[in-house]
Amino acid sequence: MTKKVSRIGVLTSGGDAPGMNAAIRAVVRTSLYYGLEVYGIMRGYQGIIDEDIFKMEGRSVANIIQRGGTILKTARCKEFYEAEGRRKAYENLKKRGIDGLVIIGGDGSFRGAVKFSQEYDIPCIGIAGTIDKDIHGSDYTIGFDTAVNTAIQAIDKIRDTMDAHDRIFIIEVMGRDAGYIALHSGIATGAENILIPERKTNIKDIIHSLQEKERRKKLVNLIVVAEGDEFGGAVEVEKILKEHLPKAEIRVAILGHIQRGGSPTGIDRLIASRMGYHAVECLMEGKHNVFVGILNNRMHYIPLEKAVKNKGSISEEWMKIVKILAS
Ligand code: F6P
């Protein structure tokens, strides 16, 4: 294969996600295998602007596959969204002869890459890394499976105490714009109600069913809420419920950043390794401005623009499953 690149830069950007280290490892080891030089860029796009860039070797990524976080650190870089920031970044990459970029991150990071690639001739390959799974065009994103499993473990524990006290629990999971963590962890823990940003919630129905349970003296109920739901998260939902169920014992638990950390699951390590390998292959084949996604267990190369333009949707069927299984 004729190599279209010789020096690859790799960075992690946006919210970190368990499995990013496994992806970095795969990018570095695959690059070295093919005789390419590979450079680690610290703190996402900020590291390109600040010239915080270092050469990586095989040993730079030893013993990291099992670690959460990212050895390259991460940031949300405002400067890169301005033309001047991108110009600086381009000059710094050119100066070092870096002729291909691998960006491990979510839709915000891909948005930056789209702009950069429209202006400059350095190919960018994205790797879908976000616990939110809100990148259109991939069944998986790195970190999602770990985050869901972390949420499940926490919710299972809360369920024990909820049940012992006959309480209503409202558990908030992450997901500013996406309800996948709420949906998956909620179904897997048998939640009665799941509130997500993608779909309208009939709060009257929920109140009615809770009042009915109260009447039957069986008021125990698990509600999983994505932080970005239409009411504004668990605390707001609690306020609404309290108005209509003044005697009920309602408790709120916000799981927060615990969902972003920890050792990645087998699935996250595996998809990160596959995506990292394929990202390097993409650059070598001369592909540019696509991200590596997985659809039906096969690798797909999807234009970065598509990932940022399309919003994911959650089908009615999922909500039907929630309702039927909770009845
Ligand atoms: O994008 C991942 C995510 O964890 C979202 O689910 C959450 O809303 C956001 O990041 C939190 O960001 P920060 O760590 O900057 O508070």
Side-chain angles (χ1 to χ4, degrees):
M1 191 194 302
T2 338
K3 293 181 243 174
K4 309 276 189 209
V5 288
S6 56
R7 282 186 187 173
I8 293 181
V10 57
L11 60 85
T12 48
S13 164
D16 63 328
M20 280 185 164
N21 279 327
I24 298 167
R25 173 178 177 270
V27 170
V28 171
R29 297 247 162 116
T30 308
S31 301
L32 297 175
Y33 173 83
Y34 284 121
L36 308 173
E37 286 185 18
V38 58
Y39 288 80
I41 298 165
M42 298 301 291
R43 295 182 180 80
Y45 296 118
Q46 196 63 51
I48 317 183
I49 294 169
D50 298 345
E51 299 193 71
D52 201 351
I53 300 172
F54 68 101
K55 192 161 180 216
M56 296 184 87
E57 309 293 347
R59 65 179 180 279
S60 322
V61 290
N63 201 22
I64 64 166
I65 195 167
Q66 77 283 19
R67 282 166 55 192
T70 155
I71 59 162
L72 295 178
K73 299 193 181 277
T74 185
R76 296 188 175 102
C77 174
K78 289 207 182 94
E79 227 180 316
F80 196 73
Y81 289 91
E82 285 154 26
E84 178 54 20
R86 291 193 295 279
R87 191 193 55 77
K88 246 195 243 171
Y90 175 71
E91 278 169 13
N92 291 341
L93 291 174
K94 268 282 176 222
K95 201 156 68 182
R96 285 179 171 71
I98 294 175
D99 50 10
L101 269 186
V102 175
I103 293 132
I104 307 166
D107 64 335
S109 314
F110 289 0
R111 216 166 283 136
V114 167
K115 276 198 170 297
F116 187 67
S117 61
Q118 281 162 352
E119 295 162 346
Y120 301 105
D121 60 351
I122 295 185
C124 298
I125 304 295
I127 291 181
T130 161
I131 63 162
D132 290 347
K133 202 176 88 73
D134 57 348
I135 293 181
H136 186 79
S138 187
D139 291 341
Y140 289 100
T141 60
I142 295 168
F144 174 69
D145 188 61
T146 308
V148 169
N149 278 290
T150 301
I152 289 172
Q153 282 178 18
I155 297 170
D156 281 350
K157 291 190 170 97
I158 292 171
R159 187 181 256 293
D160 290 345
T161 167
M162 173 187 85
D163 202 54
H165 282 267
D166 280 341
R167 282 175 168 161
I168 297 173
F169 251 94
I170 310 168
I171 302 179
E172 182 179 301
V173 296
M174 273 189 161
R176 200 165 24 204
D177 307 305
Y180 291 104
I181 298 178
L183 194 61
H184 286 230
S185 63
I187 291 177
T189 53
E192 274 81 10
N193 316 98
I194 302 175
L195 279 56
I196 55 174
E198 292 88 343
R199 301 200 77 93
K200 283 250 165 248
T201 300
N202 189 336
I203 197 78
K204 280 192 191 148
D205 266 6
I206 297 179
I207 293 167
H208 181 75
S209 82
L210 293 174
Q211 286 169 336
E212 185 54 29
K213 280 187 176 184
E214 190 174 46
R215 204 183 51 75
R216 288 189 281 121
K217 299 200 179 343
K218 282 199 160 61
L219 193 46
V220 51
N221 199 91
L222 175 60
I223 304 173
V224 175
V225 184
E227 62 178 325
D229 86 304
E230 68 190 275
F231 304 108
V235 172
E236 297 307 314
V237 174
E238 184 196 21
K239 281 185 199 155
I240 300 171
L241 295 188
K242 269 198 165 150
E243 272 176 37
H244 297 88
L245 296 138
K247 287 193 216 124
E249 283 207 49
I250 307 177
R251 295 290 185 273
V252 165
I254 297 175
L255 301 189
H257 285 78
I258 189 173
Q259 296 158 91
R260 282 243 295 264
S263 184
T265 59
I267 287 182
D268 278 331
R269 295 178 198 197
L270 197 69
I271 61 166
S273 301
R274 290 175 73 197
M275 287 178 176
Y277 162 84
H278 281 279
V280 176
E281 289 237 316
C282 274
L283 283 173
M284 288 177 54
E285 287 163 10
K287 290 196 175 68
H288 51 91
N289 314 331
V290 294
F291 81 94
V292 182
I294 298 179
L295 281 175
N296 301 323
N297 206 26
R298 294 180 66 101
M299 303 313 290
H300 281 260
Y301 310 110
I302 303 125
L304 283 168
E305 277 186 44
K306 275 203 176 164
V308 303
K309 273 194 190 139
N310 296 316
K311 269 233 152 257
S313 62
I314 288 175
S315 79
E316 184 53 42
E317 189 185 79
W318 282 90
M319 305 318 286
K320 194 171 165 190
I321 291 173
V322 175
K323 205 166 177 183
I324 292 174
L325 299 191
S327 58

